[in-house]
Amino acid sequence: MNEPWSEGELLDDAARALYLALLADGGLFRVDEVSPADLPALGRLLAARLVSSQLDGSYWTVMDPRAAAGRLGAELRAAGARLLAQAEEPPPQLAELIRAYDREPAISDARAVVRQVTGKPLIQQRLEHLALETGQEMLMAQPGGARPAAMLPHARRAAREWRERGLELRTIYQPGARLDPPTAAYAAYASGLGARIRVLDEDFRRMLIMDRRIAVVAGGTEDQVASFVEDPVLVSVLVDAFERDWARAERVRWEEPAAVGDDPLPALPALLAQGMTQRQAAARLGLSERTVAAQIARLRAQYDAETLFQLGWQLRGVGDD
């Protein structure tokens, strides 16, 4: 189907002048009577159906402009209807991409109220997408003590970018985070940017809440499963739980070294070398067993000890050289 003609393109000054001249001359003319210079304008009048051949084609006549206007209106309405119909469907080039997007398990049904995602790469992809949409606040509960060392450079960049965007950042760690130098160094860096990080000596689940609109809850200790929650009521419940933990958590001055002079933890290796159990060492130091357990786990990894007995044995004589 031909595209509707544009009045601005076809009826220029030359075409309108020729039409008026032919009309003033009676409206009936022969093509060979039209000067060569006016032939382009005549072609435009023909395209607009303002002139038409008569009988055997020897003579031509001008046509009523109202009929041409009516045809133009009909063509424009038909073209508009086609455009409206096309607007309801995506272009073919995008339709294929839309189908592929909808088939992708990581993002199909993304608008579900509660959706479970399996696999760290897919979870991370979804988290990064949501982080870009967050504009006000990020609440994080990070259990387990030390953060993975490989993640800390990324965490630094993310903290800087979020603060540059004006996000409020609040994080809850467990006490073991204070005993891990890389994690403590990250916390000092983030705190210097304005983030607030506290320590809670209790069990809690890994959780991330963005703008109090979407919550992401870890489904296991290996962080291979996460539930993305968008139901406002459920998100509100999780926010309340975070706020209760935050109120009980301990404020930490992360800008100071973790092992200050009055910190009792440096005495832990000597107690373990004496054969004390985790509970006995915690009682002697006046700390919770959880705090001592986190330090013992770090020491076992450092000394490659499989049991507490092996660790105590290897710690004997440390510092005597």
Side-chain angles (χ1 to χ4, degrees), residues 86-166:
Q86 292 174 6
E88 297 297 326
E89 298 293 334
Q93 299 91 333
L94 293 180
E96 179 183 0
L97 302 183
I98 292 173
R99 289 192 297 269
Y101 185 92
D102 289 341
R103 287 195 302 267
E104 175 54 47
I107 45 187
S108 61
D109 299 328
R111 293 182 296 273
V113 172
V114 179
R115 182 171 179 273
Q116 191 176 88
V117 177
T118 302
K120 282 187 177 181
L122 297 180
I123 294 172
Q124 189 62 34
Q125 178 189 43
R126 179 77 174 133
L127 285 175
E128 291 178 357
H129 176 76
L130 292 174
L132 292 175
E133 297 178 348
T134 303
Q136 296 179 353
E137 181 185 57
M138 193 85 73
L139 307 178
M140 292 171 280
Q142 298 282 9
R147 300 293 307 280
M151 291 294 296
L152 291 176
H154 172 76
R156 282 176 175 256
R157 291 192 298 271
R160 183 176 63 252
E161 292 172 1
W162 293 341
R163 289 300 297 168
E164 289 175 350
R165 287 162 47 192

Side-chain angles (χ1 to χ4, degrees), residues 306-319:
E306 295 184 1
T307 66
L308 184 60
F309 176 80
Q310 290 180 358
L311 175 62
W313 182 265
Q314 294 184 55
L315 288 172
R316 290 184 178 184
V318 172

Side-chain angles (χ1 to χ4, degrees), residues 1-20:
M1 181 179 294
N2 294 331
E3 293 295 328
W5 58 272
S6 167
E7 179 182 359
E9 294 176 358
L10 297 178
L11 293 185
D12 56 9
D13 292 342
R16 289 195 297 273
L18 178 60
Y19 180 89
L20 293 174

Side-chain angles (χ1 to χ4, degrees), residues 178-195:
R178 303 178 64 180
L179 308 176
D180 180 65
T183 302
Y186 160 75
Y189 173 81
S191 298
L193 295 175

Side-chain angles (χ1 to χ4, degrees), residues 250-268:
E250 174 189 356
R251 292 178 173 86
V252 178
R253 297 185 63 182
W254 293 101
E255 67 275 16
E256 297 181 358
V260 294
D262 58 352
D263 192 338
L265 282 172
L268 178 60

Side-chain angles (χ1 to χ4, degrees), residues 273-290:
Q274 296 173 21
M276 285 193 180
T277 65
Q278 175 179 300
R279 176 173 297 180
Q280 290 171 334
R284 175 71 65 85
L285 297 173
L287 299 174
S288 70
E289 283 194 57
R290 189 181 312 282

